[in-house]
Amino acid sequence: MLERFRQGWQKVMRPLASGLLAMHVTPDMVTWIGTIGAVVMALVCLPQGWLWQGALLITLFIFSDSLDGNMARQLGRTSQWGSFLDSTLDRFGDGAVFAGIALYYAGPGHSTLWCGVALAALILSLVTSYVRAKAESLSMDAKMGIATRADRLLISLVAVEITGLARVGVLAHWFCWALPVGLCYLTVAGAITVGQRMTAVKRQSES
């Protein structure tokens, strides 16, 4: 869903990437800073119930996911190491967001049910990424699906933001259901995406 907007987003990020390069900041530095920042914000803010604040701060650090690649292309230094580092650290960021949500429900959110659903969404997001990586290691394609990484991040962070604003009275109280609904969607969509990718790999292996 969101992958189609990636090209336009890269154009928006290009001036910022150029500015960082001019200050001798490297793409790897941006990758590490973005990941560490997102992980810390997710595991500090969300378990404390600081939902809307956490979602905003995580989003700021997530921007580095597009920024580091843009910087590498401007330098003409795209490499296997950069791709490997980016993909590996992405898993930490994704995992921290869902872990933070699960810890929120295990703590101030007071819901074993939604904690479990958050963990299910976490597991499926990791399996989704693994299926693609394993397929590519076998020279096959498995990028398809209704829940790509960009989709998962957008839905989870928007749901956290809306629920957080509802909890502090900025939005109507019933908006607190945004996060549970988002988690349900991501769990179902994650399972479907894994099925779609496994089916695609099976077809390619038999062709």
Side-chain angles (χ1 to χ4, degrees):
M1 179 172 61
L2 292 176
E3 296 297 329
R4 72 189 72 172
F5 299 113
R6 188 175 294 275
Q7 184 176 358
W9 179 244
Q10 291 292 343
K11 293 179 180 178
V12 174
M13 299 298 287
R14 186 174 181 82
L16 179 57
S18 298
L20 290 173
L21 289 172
M23 294 186 290
H24 305 290
V25 176
T26 68
D28 283 358
M29 290 169 60
V30 171
T31 302
W32 278 105
I33 291 171
T35 299
I36 293 171
V39 169
V40 170
M41 292 301 102
L43 297 181
V44 171
C45 294
L46 302 188
Q48 298 296 324
W50 304 333
L51 300 184
W52 70 267
Q53 302 96 323
L56 286 178
L57 292 171
I58 293 167
T59 300
L60 290 176
F61 285 106
I62 289 295
F63 281 157
S64 67
D65 184 52
S66 297
L67 192 57
D68 55 2
N70 199 312
M71 293 170 65
R73 282 188 291 274
Q74 289 190 44
L75 287 172
R77 296 180 184 173
T78 54
S79 64
Q80 289 182 325
W81 163 249
S83 177
F84 172 81
L85 179 66
D86 193 48
S87 295
T88 300
L89 295 186
D90 281 350
R91 305 291 77 77
F92 283 100
D94 295 355
V97 170
F98 286 108
I101 294 171
L103 289 172
Y104 160 70
Y105 279 116
H110 303 296
S111 177
T112 302
L113 171 62
W114 297 120
C115 176
V117 175
L119 290 175
L122 166 59
I123 292 168
L124 287 165
S125 73
L126 296 177
V127 174
T128 298
S129 299
Y130 173 79
V131 171
R132 174 179 172 177
K134 183 61 178 179
E136 291 177 346
S137 74
L138 299 172
S139 300
M140 290 184 278
D141 179 63
K143 296 180 181 179
M144 72 293 294
I146 62 174
T148 64
R149 180 174 188 262
D151 298 325
R152 294 194 301 270
L153 286 174
L154 175 70
I155 293 170
S156 59
L157 291 176
V158 168
V160 169
E161 182 72 17
I162 292 173
T163 296
L165 291 175
R167 277 173 50 87
V168 298
V170 175
L171 298 175
H173 184 71
W174 61 269
F175 277 106
C176 286
W177 281 97
L179 185 51
V181 169
L183 290 174
C184 287
Y185 171 79
L186 289 172
T187 300
V188 173
I192 292 173
T193 299
V194 169
Q196 288 175 315
R197 293 185 174 186
M198 291 179 68
T199 299
V201 171
K202 186 174 187 300
R203 288 174 178 170
Q204 291 173 67
S205 67
E206 294 175 345
S207 60

